[in-house]
């Protein structure tokens, strides 16, 4: 699905596109302008999703064949430097998606917000509307609908036919849901945005700027949600760089 013109790097077999903010925005613009009734997946690859993909072949394929797979987080920054092939820019979803919403407002695109708990998505819709007053928020729905209510949600999205759908169900549920429903959804592009709605609504505070600048936002997220995030800190992050180095030493086995 990736137009072959985009240059990519591979981290433990997972494709990551080599784009800066402006070029990534241009690519999203193309996806929306050429919308053809099949939603185009836009994913963010980070250390956690790469570990999930190593254990889930379908997720690996979804990341590798998405319209865009953007580099998310300092882990990829470090790994790229070690491999002598630095990523062009850290396009993490929390910072990049608001830039897409700004573009959507400017381009008169409509947006549907899907995910998080009900009070969180209600608040997010208000906050987004305040931040981008002219943005057309076509609709929104909480993220606890899988199973019986799924068709109703799909019908609601299709009745609004938004240009963008932001899906925040957490990895790998959101990537799978976007992938499996992409040809049922009359949407331009579908973004897998993880816990973004929790941040935008103010439900979870974002790390202070100094931590983000140091590339240690993951530490702050762990301290705020240790029960769910401990594996990322104590297993995935420490293993990631050694695995990247090993994969480099055994070329042709794992890219
Ligand atoms: N979530 C949801 N539906 C589900 C499971 C999770 O809407 O069935 C939401 C949850 O409320 C949270 C987000 O998905 O807003 C997951 O956030 P997290 O930061 O854990 O995402 P990840 O980093 O795993 O992508």
């Amino acid at each position: 699905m990736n137009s072959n013109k985009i240059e990519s790097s591979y981290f433990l077999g997972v494709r990551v596109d080599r784009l800066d903010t402006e070029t990534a925005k241009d690519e999203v613009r193309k996806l929306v302008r050429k919308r053809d009734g099949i939603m185009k997946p836009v994913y963010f690859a980070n250390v956690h999703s790469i570990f999930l993909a190593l254990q889930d072949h379908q997720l690996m394929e979804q990341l590798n064949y998405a319209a865009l797979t953007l580099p998310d987080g300092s882990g990829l920054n470090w790994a790229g430097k070690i491999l002598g092939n630095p990523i062009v820019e850290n396009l993490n979803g929390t910072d990049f998606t608001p830039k897409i919403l700004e573009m959507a407002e400017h381009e008169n695109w409509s947006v549907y917000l899907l995910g998080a708990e009900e009070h969180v998505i209600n608040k997010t819709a208000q906050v987004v509307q305040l931040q981008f007053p002219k943005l057309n928020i076509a609709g929104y729905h909480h993220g606890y609908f899988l199973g019986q209510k799924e068709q109703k949600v799909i019908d609601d999205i299709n009745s609004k036919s938004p240009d963008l759908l932001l899906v925040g169900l957490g990895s790998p549920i959101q990537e799978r849901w976007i992938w499996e429903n992409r040809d049922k959804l009359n949407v331009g592009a579908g973004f897998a945005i993880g816990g973004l709605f929790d941040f935008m609504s103010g439900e979870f505070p974002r790390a202070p700027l100094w931590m983000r600048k140091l590339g240690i936002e993951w530490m702050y997220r762990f301290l705020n949600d240790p029960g769910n995030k401990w594996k990322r800190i104590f297993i995935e992050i420490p293993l990631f760089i050694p695995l990247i180095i090993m994969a480099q030493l055994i070329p042709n086995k794992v890219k």
Side-chain angles (χ1 to χ4, degrees):
M1 203 180 287
N2 170 15
S3 73
N4 292 325
K5 284 171 271 160
I6 299 175
E7 206 190 312
S8 307
S9 299
Y10 283 81
F11 294 89
L12 303 177
V14 175
R15 175 190 128 216
V16 178
D17 295 330
R18 301 182 52 75
L19 297 170
D20 62 14
T21 298
E22 286 312 312
T23 331
K25 281 168 67 180
D26 282 345
E27 291 299 325
V28 173
R29 198 177 279 116
K30 281 187 216 160
L31 296 178
V32 173
R33 287 194 179 154
K34 288 191 207 153
R35 59 181 289 186
D36 58 5
I38 297 179
M39 181 170 72
K40 302 297 179 291
V42 177
Y43 296 149
F44 295 89
N46 54 36
V47 173
H48 178 56
S49 56
I50 289 174
F51 269 89
L52 291 174
L54 289 173
Q55 302 158 64
D56 177 346
H57 183 66
Q58 287 181 341
L59 177 62
M60 176 84 80
E61 272 194 14
Q62 290 156 14
L63 291 167
N64 286 347
Y65 291 102
L68 291 171
T69 300
L70 302 174
D72 173 13
S74 30
L76 293 187
N77 236 339
W78 300 333
K81 283 182 186 155
I82 288 170
L83 296 178
N85 189 16
I87 59 167
V88 177
E89 203 179 320
N90 177 357
L91 298 176
N92 73 80
T94 318
D95 291 317
F96 183 70
T97 314
K99 291 176 187 158
I100 293 299
L101 291 175
E102 190 182 22
M103 181 164 79
E105 182 184 40
H106 186 73
E107 299 269 353
N108 286 324
W109 295 340
S110 54
V111 179
Y112 194 107
L113 314 173
L114 179 65
E117 290 179 29
E118 191 161 15
H119 72 281
V120 172
I121 199 66
N122 293 345
K123 185 78 199 295
T124 305
Q126 288 173 16
V127 169
V128 168
Q129 196 70 83
L130 271 177
Q131 204 176 341
F132 306 102
K134 290 190 186 139
L135 178 66
N136 176 0
I137 301 178
Y140 55 93
H141 196 283
H142 65 78
Y144 294 85
F145 63 89
L146 298 178
Q148 283 186 340
K149 286 194 191 152
E150 213 165 325
Q151 192 54 48
K152 238 179 119 191
V153 168
I154 291 175
D155 290 345
D156 186 48
I157 297 169
N158 282 336
S159 73
K160 308 222 161 110
S161 177
D163 294 300
L164 301 177
L165 173 65
L166 305 189
V167 183
L169 306 177
S171 293
I173 304 174
Q174 56 193 15
E175 287 82 3
R176 190 185 316 130
W177 193 82
I178 288 174
W179 193 263
E180 287 176 354
N181 293 296
R182 67 195 190 285
D183 51 4
K184 291 184 208 144
L185 283 162
N186 187 10
V187 171
F191 284 66
I193 48 87
L196 177 69
F197 298 139
D198 295 324
F199 295 123
M200 289 193 106
S201 64
E203 178 79 359
F204 285 170
R206 206 152 167 219
L209 198 59
W210 67 267
M211 283 184 118
R212 286 186 246 158
K213 281 190 175 159
L214 282 177
I216 54 169
E217 183 163 18
W218 44 271
M219 192 182 288
Y220 189 84
R221 293 185 72 179
F222 161 69
L223 293 171
N224 269 287
D225 187 14
N228 285 318
K229 304 280 191 281
W230 67 270
K231 222 172 156 184
R232 302 183 191 191
I233 298 289
F234 293 110
I235 298 181
E236 295 172 356
I237 291 176
L239 270 179
F240 184 60
I241 296 298
L243 279 175
I244 287 281
I245 294 169
M246 271 166 61
Q248 185 72 353
L249 295 175
I250 323 171
N252 302 326
K253 292 274 183 216
V254 189
K255 270 198 263 177

